[in-house]
Amino acid sequence: MEHNKISEYLTVINPSSNGSVGEIPSSIGSLKELHLLNLSNNAIAGSIPSSLGNLTILEALDLSRNELTGKIPPELTQLTSLAFFIVSDTRLSGPIAREKQLNTFENGSYGGNLGLCGAPLTKK
């Protein structure tokens, strides 16, 4: 179901620890007023949609403790307002982009992903 007015007012999505399954819908990237997205502690699978890079005023993104796979999309480097970013304890792989805001997050943001490599992790 689509609600056209929701995207004008929705600033927080926090269904953490509620047993959510499935994939992150790419349509979340159209919620331009979103400041916080917390999907942690669920059973969400699939990849991180590159459309999340459209959330230019997003300040907090927590995708930790899910079944996410694939790489961290390079589009997330466009999130220059991001102050909190955590993808720990998922199944992500590949190099971590060290550009713009993603360059400010430490090892703890990425921990528990055996396939991730590059700074700030010691695995090259």
Side-chain angles (χ1 to χ4, degrees):
M1 183 179 297
E2 236 179 273
H3 298 283
N4 295 332
K5 293 290 184 184
I6 288 178
S7 63
E8 293 179 29
Y9 304 105
L10 191 62
T11 60
V12 172
I13 296 177
N14 187 3
S16 61
S17 302
N18 75 352
S20 293
V21 297
E23 297 186 357
I24 301 170
S26 61
S27 59
I28 287 181
S30 66
L31 301 174
K32 303 286 187 185
E33 298 300 316
L34 202 59
H35 288 265
L36 180 142
L37 177 59
N38 184 353
L39 301 174
S40 66
N41 279 326
N42 285 298
I44 298 171
S47 60
I48 300 171
S50 60
S51 64
L52 294 187
N54 297 330
L55 302 174
T56 56
I57 61 172
L58 192 68
E59 298 171 27
L61 178 59
D62 189 346
L63 303 175
S64 63
R65 294 177 298 284
N66 276 294
E67 303 296 321
L68 295 169
T69 57
K71 297 180 179 182
I72 297 172
E75 290 83 0
L76 296 189
T77 62
Q78 301 306 308
L79 302 178
T80 57
S81 296
L82 206 56
F84 181 79
F85 176 70
I86 187 164
V87 291
S88 62
D89 300 311
T90 61
R91 297 179 180 180
L92 296 172
S93 60
I96 299 169
R98 298 304 291 170
E99 299 174 39
K100 299 181 182 175
Q101 210 64 12
L102 290 187
N103 197 35
T104 65
F105 301 105
E106 300 297 326
N107 189 21
S109 291
Y110 306 99
N113 288 287
L114 298 178
L116 280 180
C117 58
L121 303 173
T122 55
K123 182 179 177 183
K124 302 299 178 203

